[in-house]
Amino acid sequence: MHAVAVGQPIAPRRIIVALRVSEELQRVVARDHHGWSAAQLDACAAGAELCINPIIYSEVSVGFERIEELDDALPPDVFTRLDLPWEAGFLAGKAFLQYRRAKGRRSSPLPDFYIGAHAAIGGMALLTRDARRYRTYYPKLNLVCP
């Protein structure tokens, strides 16, 4: 696993976009192109297919009143919409078990476990500002992070 700096080429052809979506991705899709997130999104888009899954879609939806507004902000020609593979559910469960054994308090798997598992199963990189949990539970995952 390694971080990729702005401007460096991105090796994977697909990248799961999992910025702290409730804030960062909403700002980026709302055309507030400032800061690390926007620069990385642009850099990744230049060299790879940007992908989201239903979990990321639902997290971003919080900032929109209507589904049509969300779909305009996450156009399918820019963000490929991927289904969650069953194997990702299994891997997310194993990561959650490790989390619980380390005295984690949540009683059900967190969205980050599914998102990380999806990227790992698909051999994709993961664009995120919050790399700590992904590094802990998916140490071989290629992260694009600050």
Side-chain angles (χ1 to χ4, degrees):
M1 169 184 35
H2 62 281
V4 178
V6 175
Q8 286 185 335
I10 307 297
R13 295 184 342 182
R14 285 186 145 181
I15 296 178
I16 292 279
V17 178
L19 299 174
R20 212 37 352 236
V21 289
S22 55
E23 297 173 16
E24 290 294 327
L25 188 54
Q26 286 179 26
R27 280 203 332 240
V28 172
V29 298
R31 307 297 184 251
D32 180 11
H33 291 279
H34 301 290
W36 182 89
S37 300
Q40 279 295 355
L41 199 58
D42 290 343
C44 290
E49 179 181 3
L50 300 177
C51 302
I52 60 173
N53 61 36
I55 294 170
I56 296 166
Y57 185 86
S58 75
E59 288 184 339
V60 176
S61 75
V62 173
F64 297 89
E65 293 294 319
R66 301 176 52 238
I67 194 169
E68 294 83 5
E69 295 169 353
L70 176 59
D71 288 341
D72 286 344
L74 295 172
D77 61 323
V78 175
F79 296 93
T80 300
R81 296 175 182 189
L82 302 176
D83 292 328
L84 283 169
W86 290 99
E87 297 85 354
F90 180 83
L91 187 57
K94 295 303 176 195
F96 180 69
L97 180 60
Q98 183 181 351
Y99 163 83
R100 290 290 293 170
R101 286 180 175 158
K103 307 293 186 218
R105 293 193 211 179
R106 304 288 178 147
S107 60
S108 62
L110 302 170
D112 290 352
F113 290 129
Y114 290 108
I115 293 167
H118 189 185
I121 293 294
M124 296 178 270
L126 180 66
L127 174 61
T128 182
R129 291 182 61 92
D130 183 17
R132 185 177 53 87
R133 179 172 289 136
Y134 297 112
R135 284 187 175 131
T136 299
Y137 298 103
Y138 304 102
K140 294 182 181 179
L141 189 59
N142 182 8
L143 296 177
V144 180
C145 58

